[in-house]
Amino acid sequence: MEAVQLCQQVLAVFQDYRIFGTIARAEYFLGFVENAVVHYQQALNLCPDDDVTEKAGTLGNLAWVIAQQGDIEGALFLYQQSLEISERISDVRGKAITLQNMAGVIAEKGDIERALFLYQQTLELLESVGDFSNRSTTLNNIAKAIADLGDIERAVSLWHESLKISQSIGDVRSQVEILTNLAYIAGKTGDKDRQLDLNLQALQLCVKIRAYRHLVTVITNLGEADESKGLIYFAQATWLCLNIQVPLPNTMTIFAHLYQALPQENELQALLTTTTLFLCSQLDEDHPLFKELQILGGRMIIALTEAQGIETQQAFDTWIVQQRLNDPKYFLPRLNQRLEDIVGDGWLFDRSQVSMGG
């Protein structure tokens, strides 16, 4: 947060591509994804042709952010540009990081074998330059890929090796991700107590460094691990989605968790449905997830009308107006307040530190 504020002060005086890149990294870390995309693009536009190292890094960072928003092909295109620059200037570390990030995107597409091949190349390059920080990240990613292939025992061993490295160098973000992965595996194997403990460890680290984007994931995981407190956890995750810029697919997943945890005919279900439609309406029709999210919104409308006993479009339109669900100046603050009412004194983080709204 301090980095964002300092960058804003500098940019108010003069615009510099390095400052745009710095504020974008901080914004992405805090969860302000849309701001990060804009500032990375500005960094690219202003970056001089002779600063090829910075250009390669910015291309890779922008690729990572848009990949999280669902634009896989666009991300791979940017990664390829970054990779070509790194190879041209013999930047071994830059090439390794780009290959690693490309592998992550390829793994998301389901090509695990190719992803593992790229991860192995990454490890070899990192070892050649003694980069232990990124070695920890690569081992974590390899473990995820191996777990997807079913070799849980080997994956857990790699995660513990990765965790040991990240702890030795003080890489808190990596520790959060590794603990989250270990918690997921513990849950899949039926060890609910360990799943809960690992998620709570990850949560404490997220709160410590104000990693709100990661915190959303961890709190959601806690809701899945502890059904007795699921409603409170999902409400907090949803609150964060409304107050930082969480990628829309993640937001929709969390909305769905909360929706299902609520009793039938609850006001909050109507508020969630309306907010879902409102957020989807902000997307361009050429967004890679536009159709998928529109379908999700349609399903929520069907569930809502059935719960309310509404049978016609006219009746639905009338009900929307009566409930003021056509006015975002009403339903967004109302949803925020209802979430805070649900959580009460059960907050896992200091809301006052989340000072930049989405």
Side-chain angles (χ1 to χ4, degrees):
M1 188 66 73
E2 290 178 16
V4 169
Q5 292 167 350
L6 285 171
C7 286
Q8 288 172 336
Q9 292 174 26
V10 174
L11 290 171
V13 179
F14 69 96
Q15 295 190 340
D16 183 277
Y17 64 100
R18 291 159 295 193
I19 302 300
F20 277 122
T22 300
I23 195 172
R25 284 193 293 275
E27 288 166 337
Y28 178 70
F29 179 70
L30 290 169
F32 309 118
V33 182
E34 294 172 8
N35 292 1
V37 170
V38 170
H39 288 141
Y40 274 136
Q41 191 60 60
Q42 287 177 292
L44 273 180
N45 294 341
L46 293 174
C47 185
D49 292 335
D50 58 355
D51 194 347
V52 289
T53 301
E54 185 71 19
K55 179 163 288 189
T58 304
L59 283 165
N61 289 334
L62 177 58
W64 177 257
V65 175
I66 68 171
Q68 305 310 301
Q69 294 182 301
D71 188 357
I72 302 301
E73 295 304 323
L76 287 173
F77 177 74
L78 292 173
Y79 277 136
Q80 189 59 46
Q81 293 182 59
S82 177
L83 186 62
E84 290 170 1
I85 294 174
S86 296
E87 289 177 335
R88 188 169 69 246
I89 64 176
S90 300
D91 180 0
V92 176
R93 182 178 178 275
K95 179 180 178 180
I97 293 172
T98 302
L99 284 173
Q100 174 166 250
N101 291 333
M102 288 181 72
V105 172
I106 289 169
E108 287 292 325
K109 292 180 66 177
D111 192 348
I112 304 299
E113 295 294 345
R114 173 151 178 74
L116 284 171
F117 175 76
L118 293 177
Y119 282 139
Q120 190 57 48
Q121 284 187 288
T122 300
L123 271 184
E124 293 170 1
L125 291 170
L126 292 174
E127 288 172 0
S128 72
V129 294
D131 188 336
F132 294 103
S133 174
N134 283 295
R135 174 179 169 79
S136 171
T137 301
T138 307
L139 289 172
N140 174 42
N141 291 332
I142 291 175
K144 285 192 290 186
I146 290 175
D148 287 339
L149 292 175
D151 191 349
I152 303 302
E153 185 176 347
R154 169 103 173 110
V156 169
S157 175
L158 287 173
W159 271 318
H160 282 295
E161 182 181 350
S162 177
L163 183 61
K164 186 176 180 180
I165 295 173
S166 63
Q167 289 172 334
S168 69
I169 61 177
D171 187 347
V172 179
R173 277 190 292 173
S174 291
Q175 292 175 51
V176 169
E177 186 170 350
I178 297 163
L179 288 169
T180 302
N181 290 331
L182 286 168
Y184 174 77
I185 294 299
K188 292 288 285 185
T189 56
D191 192 344
K192 293 294 185 181
D193 290 338
R194 179 162 174 73
Q195 178 188 18
L196 186 59
D197 178 64
L198 289 167
N199 276 317
L200 287 172
Q201 289 182 50
L203 180 132
Q204 290 171 358
L205 292 174
C206 285
V207 172
K208 179 181 178 181
I209 61 173
R210 303 187 190 181
Y212 301 122
R213 183 175 54 83
H214 294 290
L215 186 60
V216 170
T217 300
V218 174
I219 293 178
T220 303
N221 292 343
L222 279 169
E224 295 174 338
D226 188 353
E227 294 182 3
S228 65
K229 298 179 181 178
L231 183 59
I232 292 176
Y233 290 145
F234 293 142
Q236 291 184 65
T238 301
W239 186 93
L240 276 170
C241 288
L242 294 176
N243 287 275
I244 66 173
Q245 293 172 359
V246 177
L248 193 52
N250 304 67
T251 297
M252 296 301 98
T253 298
I254 293 164
F255 278 20
H257 278 302
L258 179 59
Y259 191 100
Q260 293 169 4
L262 292 166
Q264 289 296 316
E265 299 185 34
N266 188 288
E267 177 198 11
L268 199 49
Q269 289 180 323
L271 292 169
L272 284 170
T273 300
T274 305
T275 303
T276 296
L277 296 174
F278 174 75
L279 294 176
C280 288
S281 71
Q282 310 302 303
L283 293 177
D284 294 329
E285 292 190 9
D286 58 353
H287 190 282
L289 296 174
F290 179 80
K291 291 184 179 179
E292 179 182 341
L293 293 175
Q294 287 290 90
I295 291 172
L296 174 61
R299 289 174 179 169
M300 293 180 73
I301 289 178
I302 292 172
L304 178 62
T305 55
E306 290 178 349
Q308 296 293 328
I310 299 172
E311 298 181 353
T312 67
Q313 182 66 47
Q314 182 178 359
F316 179 74
D317 293 340
T318 300
W319 182 78
I320 287 289
V321 173
Q322 290 173 343
Q323 301 296 316
R324 297 182 64 187
L325 296 178
N326 60 338
D327 181 6
K329 292 182 179 180
Y330 168 77
F331 66 74
L332 289 176
R334 178 60 178 165
L335 174 57
N336 203 73
Q337 183 59 55
R338 289 288 291 112
L339 294 170
E340 293 179 355
D341 293 342
I342 288 175
V343 179
D345 296 328
W347 293 94
L348 299 170
F349 57 94
D350 184 352
R351 284 174 293 155
S352 67
Q353 294 180 347
V354 187
S355 58
M356 291 175 63

